[in-house]
Amino acid sequence: MRQPAAAVKATQGVYNADFDWDGFNSDWYCAHNYVSLRDDDTAIMTRVGEFFQQHLKPSTAQRRGLDVGSGANLYPAMSMLPFCEGVELREFSRSNVRWLNAQIERYDAYWDEFWDVYRALPAYQNVSNPREALRKAAKVERMSIFELPEREWDMGTMFFVAESLTYDPREFWRAVECFGRALKPGAPFAAAFMADSRGYKVDKTQFPAVAVDITDVKDCLSVVCEVIDIDLVETKKPLRRGYGGMILATGVALS
Ligand SMILES: C[S@@+](CC[C@H](N)C(=O)[O-])C[C@H]1O[C@@H](n2cnc3c(N)ncnc32)[C@H](O)[C@@H]1O
């Protein structure tokens, strides 16, 4: 978590609660990030799907999955469909909660391309109608990551959240811990992080980030999880300036 001294000074003492999360422009964010499928997201989905199908039987019986900080992204929730009766999305921003509820009712056609990536994997072929499966399984609730109950969920995803909700490194650590502790011991998870990001704009609004690298992510995840795999996902076409790739970690929650 190394940052230039001037950047550290300007953002010191600026926390999650200091940002207008309800003003997060979900449609802008989705259009910028997800309306066409990127090579790095494709690589992430393939690795996440492979990891989950290795660790879980494709039966949904009574399993509950958690996606925290879902934003305007459906692909983490989709990754849990073959394995969960309930896919529970916990998101703090009211605008994102509205967007998620509308998309879950009947998601837009561009998400079909995302499902096609999962569908190449055997466990996902058991889901014949993913649109209907998501509508039935997914429940969205407005909640802060810092308020998640402990030991509730059987599997979990957290994509670009813990490092992208604050400028404060301790708050980043706390967010990762809250995610890990929300999972039952042994529950498999996938978590993605923007490497070296110092913040990002959504439409005209600036949101924060803590600049992390693979070692930082591994260190804080290891407090609550056994990290099985962690790697930088490469792309020739970065999403925007000001970050150093995407870090993907998979593993299981510790007892
Ligand atoms: C960079 S976005 C990532 C969104 C999405 N997961 C994705 O993969 O694109 C960060 C998300 O964290 C959410 N967030 C910010 N503070 C939060 C908090 N305290 N608890 C839960 N989510 C929060 C934001 O509303 C936003 O949806």
Side-chain angles (χ1 to χ4, degrees), residues 155-174:
M155 68 187 298
T157 51
M158 176 177 71
F159 277 56
F160 316 116
V161 179
E163 81 296 358
S164 296
L165 53 66
T166 183
Y167 282 123
D168 183 63
R170 285 161 307 179
E171 217 175 25
F172 158 70
W173 271 70
R174 198 153 66 80

Side-chain angles (χ1 to χ4, degrees), residues 47-118:
R47 280 155 68 170
V48 170
E50 283 172 352
F51 175 75
F52 283 152
Q53 76 177 11
Q54 255 170 30
H55 280 79
L56 294 166
K57 289 204 177 77
S59 134
T60 58
Q62 295 185 343
R63 249 191 234 123
R64 293 169 63 205
L66 165 71
D67 178 48
V68 67
S70 314
N73 183 6
L74 295 184
Y75 83 69
M78 282 176 164
S79 74
M80 295 187 274
L81 281 178
F83 313 102
C84 290
E85 198 168 290
V87 175
E88 302 177 21
L89 289 75
R90 298 287 183 266
E91 164 60 56
F92 189 60
S93 149
R94 287 183 171 84
S95 51
N96 284 338
V97 166
R98 273 195 303 276
W99 184 97
L100 288 164
N101 276 322
Q103 285 293 316
I104 278 159
E105 195 50 38
R106 184 172 170 78
Y107 62 70
D108 288 336
Y110 51 85
W111 292 109
D112 291 337
E113 247 191 319
F114 288 75
W115 182 258
D116 287 347
V117 177
Y118 289 128

Side-chain angles (χ1 to χ4, degrees), residues 175-190:
V176 171
E177 266 191 70
C178 288
F179 170 65
R181 290 195 205 290
L183 304 176
K184 292 180 185 166
F189 74 86

